[in-house]
Amino acid sequence: MSEMDYLISVIVPVYNVETYLDECIKSLVKQTYSKFELILIDDGSTDSSGQLCDAWKETDERIKVIHKENGGLSTARNAGLDVAKGDYICFIDSDDFVTDNYLLSFVDAIKESGAQMVFCDITSSKLAKAEHDIHKLSVLSAADCRKWLYNPITREYVLMVIACAKMFDKKLFEGLRFEVGRYHEDEFLINHILFAIDKAVFIPEGNYIYRNNEESITGKQNENNIYHLHVVDAYEYRINEAIKYGDIEFAKVTAKFALLKTARFYKNGTEEVQTEAKKLYNRIYDNYYYLLTQKQRIKYKLFKNMPGVFCKVFL
């Protein structure tokens, strides 16, 4: 196999996206790097998305289609992983699309660096500005990558945590799959990836174009869903992994932001969300307060006793 002969498995979960699907697939079949398989996972669509997948399959031998009962994003991505034959894996959401050189830029970066993960900037009006200068190609260690997760309200955090806009060495998924039944499944996945890689490369070009689809699981109409609290479980797992691998600074900052995130869920949530958020907050504080400074302990303990006052003062 030559350096330019990597087979890439591009996995696209599909569910009721008939309005956007053609644009997504068109952006992939015209890639300047052509050695890939495109795996379309029809996750029980009730519109014409499944038929569109089949129609596209007839036009390009690189396209494979799997039809399955609806089970959610994690099950669809996992179904793609189970049949993927590529040396590298890419995930693309079916309501997004990519530039013509999306795959080639990843392959070039892998060839130059030997990294196990490559990721790029995202073209989107929804993302926050970067906290640091990320306008140059960067080779990152695993510890460097974890620092991109120090502040969850930054562009760096989103770029690092999402499964899309990346190419992974397939070996990273040996024994690893997306957690089924979870919202924010990317948050769980990255917890494993960032303690498994040695090196990653960031490409500053916005080669992945994100579409702000308000009907998606992260759209505005779903923002108060209680299942968004799953992200706090992912934070808790991240704290434990950081402690396990000796990255105590990462554990400290994650504990702090886990408490703040949970308090924000409480502030903005329904009565049901508030009840669960308070339980989560108390558990995290009780388990990890030792990671906080004395000043932080006093501050965050206030929520346990007077959550309304805490939210009014600090959020």
Side-chain angles (χ1 to χ4, degrees), residues 124-288:
S124 170
S125 60
K126 191 175 181 179
L127 292 189
K129 292 183 178 180
E131 191 173 42
H132 304 99
D133 181 11
I134 59 170
H135 295 98
K136 61 181 179 180
L137 188 143
S138 304
V139 179
L140 307 169
S141 67
D144 293 331
C145 290
R146 293 195 290 270
K147 288 178 182 178
W148 281 44
L149 298 184
Y150 272 26
N151 186 345
I153 62 173
T154 63
R155 189 181 196 90
E156 289 94 325
Y157 185 95
V158 175
L159 295 177
M160 184 59 65
V161 81
I162 62 170
C164 295
K166 289 183 174 68
M167 188 166 82
F168 303 92
D169 189 322
K170 187 184 180 182
K171 296 184 181 70
L172 293 170
F173 289 93
E174 293 177 358
L176 177 63
R177 291 294 186 268
F178 289 90
E179 292 207 24
V180 176
R182 293 281 198 177
Y183 276 37
H184 303 282
E185 58 285 319
D186 293 358
E187 297 270 4
F188 289 92
L189 180 78
I190 203 67
N191 292 339
H192 300 278
I193 297 294
L194 294 189
F195 290 99
I197 63 172
D198 298 313
K199 187 189 301 182
V201 175
F202 172 67
I203 299 170
E205 286 78 25
N207 292 333
Y208 188 97
I209 295 85
Y210 171 83
R211 192 190 303 276
N212 187 16
N213 180 4
E214 293 298 351
E215 295 179 0
S216 71
I217 202 64
T218 57
K220 192 171 183 62
Q221 71 178 31
N222 292 308
E223 64 183 356
N224 289 321
N225 194 310
I226 193 169
Y227 293 113
H228 284 302
L229 287 171
H230 288 172
V231 73
V232 182
D233 295 330
Y235 278 26
E236 188 170 14
Y237 187 90
R238 191 173 300 162
I239 296 167
N240 291 330
E241 288 295 283
I243 294 170
K244 175 182 173 181
Y245 286 94
D247 193 342
I248 303 304
E249 187 61 29
F250 188 40
K252 289 179 178 179
V253 297
T254 304
K256 180 183 72 172
F257 281 114
L259 292 170
L260 284 172
K261 184 82 169 180
T262 312
R264 287 194 182 96
F265 278 127
Y266 178 91
K267 178 182 179 182
N268 300 320
T270 62
E271 183 177 346
E272 181 187 22
V273 170
Q274 287 185 335
T275 298
E276 292 304 312
K278 197 168 190 306
K279 290 179 185 177
L280 277 175
Y281 188 101
N282 289 344
R283 186 180 77 201
I284 292 169
Y285 183 90
D286 291 344
N287 289 340
Y288 305 108

Side-chain angles (χ1 to χ4, degrees), residues 65-111:
V65 177
I66 295 175
H67 297 283
K68 60 182 286 297
E69 292 184 4
N70 180 253
L73 182 58
S74 288
T75 67
R77 285 175 171 172
N78 289 344
L81 285 169
D82 289 343
V83 301
K85 293 181 170 61
D87 306 290
Y88 292 89
I89 304 288
C90 283
F91 301 101
I92 295 176
D93 286 346
S94 51
D95 49 359
D96 299 331
F97 57 100
V98 296
T99 62
D100 292 357
N101 291 323
Y102 180 73
L103 294 179
L104 181 61
S105 67
F106 284 164
V107 170
D108 285 345
I110 289 285
K111 184 175 66 173

